[in-house]
Amino acid sequence: MPEVNPFATVRQLAAGYIVPRCLHVIANLGVADVLDETPRTAAELAESVGAHPDALWRILRVLSTYGLFALQGDQFSHTPASRLLRSDHPQSMRSFVRMFASPLYWNAYGELEYTAQTERPATDKSTPNGFWNYLESHPDEGTIFDEAMVTKSRAAAAAIASSYDFSGFEVVGDIGGGLGQVLRAIMNASPNSKGVLFDLAHVLEKAKYIPSERITFQAGDFFSDTFPTCDAYLLMDVIHDWGDEAAMAILKAVRRAAPAHAKLLVIELVFPDDPGPDWAKVLDVNMLALFGGRQRTLSEYRALLESAGFSLQRKIDTRAEHSILEAVVA
Ligand SMILES: C[S@@+](CC[C@H](N)C(=O)[O-])C[C@H]1O[C@@H](n2cnc3c(N)ncnc32)[C@H](O)[C@@H]1O
């Protein structure tokens, strides 16, 4: 392990949100969208996005030291990373950045001390009507969240579709499937299967505008509505949103709907044994702060599934970070 300077480590972590906050502002303002192949000064960019020239110059200057935009003289040009902030990039991460920049997320982190003291989600204080209700009543942030889910699942969707043989399933249900990005990848890989996308009504309204033969939409609530009858049920990055009690309620609802032969596929970043840095550890705190949820180890998943009436059969690692936990009715 390289020698670290403890002062620099603590200073970097203490002030660590300053650079991300610069990134948030740049993504919100749409700076990457107004920069094309011609390098431009901060003053020119500021005029296009309605920012202050010197303030934008200073924010872009620090970001350029992280490889977001390249600075030559007084002109900025794109780098591979800054291109990902463009709305029209096929792998655009603009909505993903804007999700972390949103009042819903940012205000929650202002209440993290409450979470540390109580293990309750910080959103209890910052958004007392609840995270999911907030997204429904703030459609702009709701759309940013749904698009961010598409971004975070983009690489995983292809990896999941190619790591598991879905062709034996007549009907695949994606429970809490968002805009349906993963289900669409599975439908492409398994041309004889049909899909059912189950999610909250306001999310499905957006999903319906994306053409998808063979996919039907079922609006509903995990906790009060009956899931469709399917041969396979996907729960991707859903269980980690919830504490054990609610996670168990979702799994039991699948158990009630599932025919005896059905497979349950829980798709998650399984919490690693390795003590080193890992995105799953950051995500774990994010789940704690936003929802009171958690990333779980393999044995925690096994126990949760068993308590809900399933038996974990195997863990299939994909070439992305997600693993598929295949379970059957016990
Ligand atoms: C973290 S997102 C995961 C989306 C998708 N599975 C993926 O991995 O990209 C969780 C999903 O659960 C949905 N959801 C949250 N609460 C729900 C509820 N009570 N009933 C149905 N869906 C719900 C959200 O709308 C969202 O699409």
Side-chain angles (χ1 to χ4, degrees):
M1 186 131 168
E3 207 173 300
V4 287
N5 170 344
F7 172 82
T9 301
V10 175
R11 182 179 62 184
Q12 177 58 36
L13 287 173
Y17 60 79
I18 297 173
V19 177
R21 202 61 186 150
C22 292
L23 174 64
H24 295 168
V25 168
I26 293 303
N28 276 338
L29 288 173
V31 173
D33 283 345
V34 298
L35 179 63
D36 54 23
E37 297 310 309
T38 311
R40 296 179 73 189
T41 63
E44 289 167 337
L45 294 168
E47 196 178 340
S48 300
V49 299
H52 185 282
D54 192 48
L56 191 67
W57 154 249
R58 292 160 69 183
I59 287 173
L60 286 174
R61 181 174 57 184
V62 71
L63 283 175
S64 71
T65 66
Y66 287 82
L68 278 145
F69 305 100
L71 176 59
Q72 248 191 335
D74 64 350
Q75 296 197 313
F76 292 96
S77 55
H78 268 303
T79 61
S82 67
R83 281 183 209 282
L84 291 180
L85 300 180
R86 285 189 63 92
S87 312
D88 61 0
H89 192 286
Q91 277 92 43
S92 177
M93 295 185 76
R94 185 175 178 214
S95 292
F96 185 80
V97 176
R98 296 187 76 201
M99 174 180 76
F100 282 98
S102 66
L104 178 59
Y105 277 57
W106 188 250
N107 294 340
Y109 278 98
E111 303 291 351
L112 191 62
E113 207 163 305
Y114 164 78
T115 296
Q117 286 162 339
T118 62
E119 212 196 10
R120 295 289 314 159
T123 44
D124 274 5
K125 286 205 140 191
S126 58
T127 318
N129 281 340
F131 185 94
W132 303 108
N133 289 333
Y134 178 96
L135 290 181
E136 184 172 6
S137 56
H138 294 75
D140 290 349
E141 280 180 65
T143 298
I144 287 171
F145 178 86
D146 295 330
E147 288 176 1
M149 292 303 104
V150 175
T151 304
K152 71 101 195 135
S153 299
R154 194 174 279 126
I160 291 160
S162 63
S163 306
Y164 190 90
D165 182 7
F166 290 89
S167 64
F169 302 128
E170 202 178 321
V171 183
V172 179
D174 192 355
I175 308 298
L179 299 186
Q181 57 280 1
V182 176
L183 194 55
R184 281 188 187 85
I186 291 170
M187 291 298 107
N188 288 340
S190 180
N192 295 321
S193 302
K194 293 188 185 120
V196 184
L197 185 63
F198 182 101
D199 209 298
L200 298 168
H202 71 96
V203 176
L204 291 189
E205 276 312 309
K206 288 167 248 176
K208 281 179 186 165
Y209 291 103
I210 307 165
S212 39
E213 311 154 15
R214 289 188 281 127
I215 295 183
T216 53
F217 300 90
Q218 185 174 328
D221 185 318
F222 297 148
F223 303 106
S224 51
D225 291 310
T226 304
F227 293 148
T229 303
C230 301
D231 303 298
Y233 292 84
L234 311 184
L235 282 170
M236 172 157 168
D237 287 341
V238 165
I239 295 301
H240 78 162
D241 290 343
W242 304 92
D244 284 354
E245 201 180 313
M248 189 88 80
I250 297 170
L251 292 172
K252 284 185 173 166
V254 176
R255 175 75 182 78
R256 284 194 296 277
H261 68 270
K263 294 267 166 61
L264 167 62
L265 305 173
V266 174
I267 304 174
E268 292 275 356
L269 300 190
V270 175
F271 197 90
D273 292 333
D274 191 309
D278 196 299
W279 172 243
K281 297 179 186 179
V282 178
L283 202 54
D284 180 55
V285 174
N286 198 43
M287 294 304 117
L288 170 66
L290 299 181
F291 314 106
R294 65 192 311 136
Q295 296 303 122
R296 294 176 172 86
T297 61
L298 187 59
S299 42
E300 285 169 337
Y301 274 114
R302 181 176 287 112
L304 198 63
L305 285 162
E306 276 173 13
S307 315
F310 288 99
S311 156
L312 178 62
Q313 301 282 285
R314 50 187 183 134
K315 170 173 175 275
I316 301 136
D317 291 326
T318 68
R319 61 185 149 75
E321 292 166 311
H322 286 80
S323 301
I324 304 172
L325 305 181
E326 182 194 66
V328 293
V329 173

